[in-house]
Amino acid sequence: MNGIRRLDEASAAASAGDLESAWAAVPWLPRAIAADAASGLFALWARSTIVDENVGAPVLSRGVFERLHREAGLTADWPIGNAGLLHVYGYLLSTTPTPYGLKRERWLGADLAAAFGLDDDAFLPWRPGPSLLTRVTAAALALLDTAPVRRDERAGTFRVALSAARGPAALVYARTDASDHVAGNDSEGSDSEGSDSAGSDSAGSDSAGVRLVTTFPVTDAAALLAALDAEPDRVRWNAAG
């Protein structure tokens, strides 16, 4: 059984409330979450709601939401939890359709990886080597440092970064103040040394101190920027304000 079929099986089981079967279908998932928790990687991500702003409803069940946070050793208050955990691993298990398709497609398809200038399979969840969250975090933080288009919003507390000003692009959205980490990403029994280690990976860079919210591909960066200009300044893309 290939990776997509196993993920389909896991998603169907999760939607049916059979979390044991869901986790058993994708054994790399709990291993990746455990490794990311041990390294303190979740501390580099902000808080997010699992209620999608386009759908107006949660894209994961509460049971899956709570199981993910429990395995990561993170506190959460439904529907708000750790953005890295939800947007990366949670979205893999979501079967809720959105105007842009299933949430998991950003990781299974090649569009986002290509927009980052990476191999087409750079974000395949079951790819050998570093965890998916490790790969996504590295790419997102690097873009925050080097993006040709960067826009600060909400009095400088959020940043939009794009890999191009027009055409297809990777978008990264991040919180640029540290208060979100202190208030919402505390670990249950986590090793503080591990968290410091993860945070030091971005020390000395322009992205030091930020907390990532999300990343996704856009088909027309110029159109997206025009839409942002036309909208009120607000918290975007399911970030918890």
Side-chain angles (χ1 to χ4, degrees), residues 149 162-169 218-226:
V149 180
L162 287 160
S163 62
R166 58 183 55 85
V218 298
T219 56
D220 187 340
L224 182 136
L225 290 168

Side-chain angles (χ1 to χ4, degrees), residues 62-118:
R62 184 165 186 166
V64 174
F65 174 96
E66 292 178 346
R67 173 72 177 258
L68 288 168
H69 283 87
R70 186 165 61 251
E71 297 225 353
L74 298 172
T75 60
D77 186 12
W78 169 265
I80 295 172
N82 183 271
L85 185 65
L86 295 175
H87 289 216
V88 177
Y89 298 127
Y91 282 2
L92 289 172
L93 298 173
S94 174
T95 58
T96 302
T98 77
Y100 306 100
L102 292 178
K103 293 286 193 177
R104 72 183 195 178
E105 290 308 316
R106 70 188 65 179
W107 311 128
L108 303 184
D111 289 349
L112 182 58
F116 273 115
L118 302 173

Side-chain angles (χ1 to χ4, degrees), residues 10 22-23 26-34 68 71 89-90 92-93:
W23 258 243
V26 284
W28 49 263
L29 177 61
R31 290 198 298 265
I33 293 173
L68 288 168
E71 297 225 353
Y89 298 127
L92 289 172
L93 298 173

Side-chain angles (χ1 to χ4, degrees), residues 38-216:
S39 69
L41 196 60
F42 294 114
L44 295 177
W45 289 79
R47 293 183 303 156
S48 173
T49 176
I50 199 61
V51 176
D52 183 73
E53 63 184 42
N54 293 301
V55 176
V59 297
L60 282 178
S61 71
R62 184 165 186 166
V64 174
F65 174 96
E66 292 178 346
R67 173 72 177 258
L68 288 168
H69 283 87
R70 186 165 61 251
E71 297 225 353
L74 298 172
T75 60
D77 186 12
W78 169 265
I80 295 172
N82 183 271
L85 185 65
L86 295 175
H87 289 216
V88 177
Y89 298 127
Y91 282 2
L92 289 172
L93 298 173
S94 174
T95 58
T96 302
T98 77
Y100 306 100
L102 292 178
K103 293 286 193 177
R104 72 183 195 178
E105 290 308 316
R106 70 188 65 179
W107 311 128
L108 303 184
D111 289 349
L112 182 58
F116 273 115
L118 302 173
D119 293 341
D120 286 353
D121 65 346
F123 295 138
L124 272 184
W126 46 85
R127 179 172 167 167
S131 71
L132 175 58
L133 187 65
T134 299
R135 288 173 270 145
V136 172
T137 302
L141 289 177
L143 183 59
L144 283 174
D145 281 350
T146 62
V149 180
R150 285 190 279 184
R151 178 173 299 185
D152 288 341
E153 299 185 319
R154 303 297 293 169
T157 59
F158 286 90
R159 178 171 299 163
V160 180
L162 287 160
S163 62
R166 58 183 55 85
L171 181 147
V172 173
Y173 189 52
R175 186 160 189 158
T176 54
D177 64 339
S179 61
D180 179 78
H181 165 62
V182 174
N185 275 336
D186 296 329
S187 299
E188 297 176 345
S190 66
D191 187 331
S192 61
E193 182 177 348
S195 296
D196 292 343
S197 174
S200 68
D201 289 343
S202 60
S205 72
D206 289 344
S207 59
V210 306
R211 298 293 177 263
L212 298 166
V213 175
T214 195
T215 181
F216 54 86

